[in-house]
Amino acid sequence: MPALRPLPSPLTLRPRQPIPNLSKRAFTLSARRPGYDDTVKNLLIGAHTRVIYQGFTGRVATGNAKDSLAYGTNIVGGVTPGKEGEHLGLPLLPNLRRAASELKPDATAVFVAAPQCGKAIEEAIEAEIPLIVSVAEHIPLHDIMRVMSILKTQSKSRLVGANAPGIIAPIGNCRIGFQPLPTFAPGHIGIVAKSGTLSYETVASITRSGLGQSLCIGMGGDIIAGTNMVDALRVFESDPNTEGIVLVGEVGGRAEEDAAEWIAEYHRRVGGKAKPIAALVGGMEAPEGRIMGHAGAWRGKGERTAREKYGILQKAGVTMVEHPENFGGVMKTLLGQSGRNVDKIVGHAQAQQQQQRRGYHTIRRRPSPIHHQPLPQTTQQKRALLLSPSQSSSPLQPYLSQVPGVTLTSDPAPPDSYHLGVTVSRSARSPALITSPSTTSSERLRNFPYDWREGPSPSMIEQAIQHMQLDAAPPAARAQAAGLLKALSTMYREKEAVTLSGSVSINDSGNLVLHQPSLVLQFDDAAYRSCKRQEDIHSLRQKDQEVPEELEAEEHGIVFIKLQDPKANIGTLVNGAGLAMNTLDALTLHSGHATNFLDTGGKATAATVKKSFELILQDSRVKVIFVNIFGGLTDGGMIAEGILLAFKEVDMKSVPVVVRIRGTNEDKGQQIIAESGLSLEAFDGFAEAARRVVELANS
């Protein structure tokens, strides 16, 4: 293995070196202009990184900044509009332009509420701050598409998020986000993840193995991510502190497929010198057509399933893992197999960890000890609004009227129909036309991404029409198809849609017919919840046709999905959407079958846990309840208290409960369960807990 960097003295950690030739690695000899891809080097944060906060004096930002200062993050000040002076003993400025000029930040932590977050990110881009980390939940999709359309025109600023845990470099004690600090330890494994809670359990496994982490990047679970897996892989490849790489993916989008393509090319390029890579993909048991907690955790038309993405990564040479608690052991094995000196890597990591602990006592500022300040409880974004075909004519008609000759029919689409529409391209981070010459084969679907601000150009619309293979169609039908795509793209932006698509055919008169039963009209839930935009669209929601338990859960900030597996008899209670998806997947490997998906949220309370039990027990199929908690943002002791509260106030119907609590305050949580005197069984490891759950379910 290459020689590890010598340990610097406390509080004088050497800044990470720039990624060599990264901006030039395009695998082509042709000249090109600098662009957004070149900003991946800005992800290499460390002790040198000067961090500011936007929304600095807010309660959440203040608590987070105290924790990050105690950790050693080089916070140099912050911004709150209209305020000036000091906060936490650091400069407070009234606007970002002055902060950029006077404080010279390398990164900004955007702790601004969703309605104003898009504008705050744009101000950071204008100020050319190299790294922008956005943690807010429920930022409207179209706000982020607008932001991305701006980011792609420049080469100064890089975005992590939105709605992401953030980025943390344990080497260098630099945290920009809200990661649970006790879980992390400096070391040599780079991690990129969609799911916050799954990443925390991954980090804990890596920490327990002694390997530690070099850099951890939270993509976030939104539909569009400012930084994706390929961006992270490019950084990890050239980072001398990173010896191995972990990817944590999930259902939805093609980030994992893009990563697999990059990894296959990486292996061809460097051969046996490649850094070992392991991965997990959550959501293999996710039901079709459902949004699994995260705004982006759903499979669009033409996208691969989680199971297919698992196979694609495996074929690219990635070692696949079924549960995050296994990553530590797997990475040690892979590092050894790659010819690296595992003992030396672990020894170096442990030396850095000891140095980090000593460093806490010599920091120039003496803030209060790390006390873990969670973000406030909010109602989760559990779905985009999906209108039924029968509801489509009202919002669609004003736009159809712009295309003379096109008719809307209630007849089903014939076999020789075509597919067209507008959707979101997650890889291009933009809207895209989507067309196909067939409605029966998803393999023939093709996306044509375009700039959100400009809309699709006539030439792009023509490309999309050509892909539909309308060569033999009458001229009127071709013109109507182009007009329909233009009208749908206008509706897409004006009504803040996620997907607008359907099947079209050509009638005997040579005109286009749009078939109402095939229509998919999906709109952004966050636009209404966060900003009260599109009230006319969201007033069409038909709650009387939704599952009562799911509606009840939504009112309490819980994401609950009732599953229809005929063999199901295990109720699940999990904190975090990614971990909840992985729990369903891993239970299946142990021959278990879950009655539900339940995400209490990363900031669950004792009352939330009690309500979760009530929801689960409404299903008569439940024979045992599996509580699988990783205490990242959620305190293990609090979860245990919530379980005891449920036993006191909820009729448990003699249903046994198996509890697995790991992470923050896991010892306290396990002790509370063990001393409760109730019929509870507590476990550390997932495998033994799952085996016991299945045994109880089948007994």
Side-chain angles (χ1 to χ4, degrees), residues 202 205-209 211 324-333:
T202 298
S205 177
I206 298 293
T207 297
R208 286 194 297 270
S209 75
L211 292 170
E325 72 176 2
N326 300 327
F327 271 120
V330 167
M331 287 308 301
K332 289 181 83 169
T333 299

Side-chain angles (χ1 to χ4, degrees), residues 22 101 105 327 354 365 411 447 451 518 538 602 604 630 640 692:
L22 186 58
S101 173
F327 271 120
Q354 291 172 2
R365 291 181 297 269
D411 296 335
N447 284 357
D451 186 279
S518 70
H538 288 268
F630 187 85
R692 181 56 177 156

